[in-house]
Amino acid sequence: MESVFDRIYNIVSQIPKGKVLTYGDVAKRAGNKRWARVVGYALHQNPDQSKIPCHRVVNREGRVAQAFVFGGENEQIKLLLSEGVEVVNSKVDLEKYRWKEDILL
DNA sequence: CAGTTGACGGCCC
DNA sequence: GGGGCCGCCAACT
């Protein structure tokens, strides 16, 4: 059943390495940008972290989720750095690393 | 079935 | 320019 959750999972899992997406962007791609909260909820469920790189999903501020503690938020930032995403002050340059339409529809 | 929550976004003060 | 409040939709209890 392709619920909004599944759709969001699909999109997030499609984020290329070295790129990030905002909740609003994922929501917009999912169908409605107002689903930002739903996106957060979906990622909160996160049935499969290996399939859903939630660490590539950041909020509008470009900052990672504070509730994203699977071993330390610093660990998440380190992951992004390892992927080539420059994290400054626990924040990402959305203008530079924001995923546009690399994979296209 | 109805109420509340929730990893957010945008607008207003 | 910064901080705070309200709104949105779906999922969960």
Side-chain angles (χ1 to χ4, degrees):
Chain A
M1 172 183 177
E2 292 105 51
S3 56
V4 187
F5 268 47
D6 290 273
R7 198 177 295 184
I8 292 168
Y9 294 146
N10 186 41
I11 296 168
V12 177
S13 64
Q14 283 172 73
I15 303 177
K17 180 181 158 210
K19 296 267 177 135
V20 296
L21 264 183
T22 65
Y23 291 92
D25 280 348
V26 177
K28 187 177 175 186
R29 251 184 99 85
N32 289 317
K33 74 175 172 187
R34 302 165 210 162
W35 290 355
R37 310 192 74 159
V38 186
V39 174
Y41 208 97
L43 268 64
H44 176 67
Q45 299 291 303
N46 200 359
D48 204 307
Q49 196 174 78
S50 307
K51 216 173 86 172
I52 305 163
C54 23
H55 62 267
R56 288 185 192 153
V57 185
V58 295
N59 55 26
R60 244 328 201 164
E61 300 174 64
R63 212 176 226 180
V64 299
Q66 48 241 138
F68 193 95
V69 263
F70 62 93
E73 47 193 338
N74 194 335
E75 187 67 44
Q76 206 232 7
I77 297 171
K78 199 165 69 174
L79 253 153
L80 290 170
L81 289 170
S82 187
E83 296 194 337
V85 180
E86 189 177 31
V87 184
V88 182
N89 203 358
S90 305
K91 286 190 287 195
V92 189
D93 288 82
L94 296 173
E95 295 297 298
K96 294 170 66 174
Y97 297 104
R98 201 172 114 172
W99 182 34
K100 302 164 125 202
E101 297 286 316
D102 202 50
I103 189 174
L104 203 62
L105 313 179

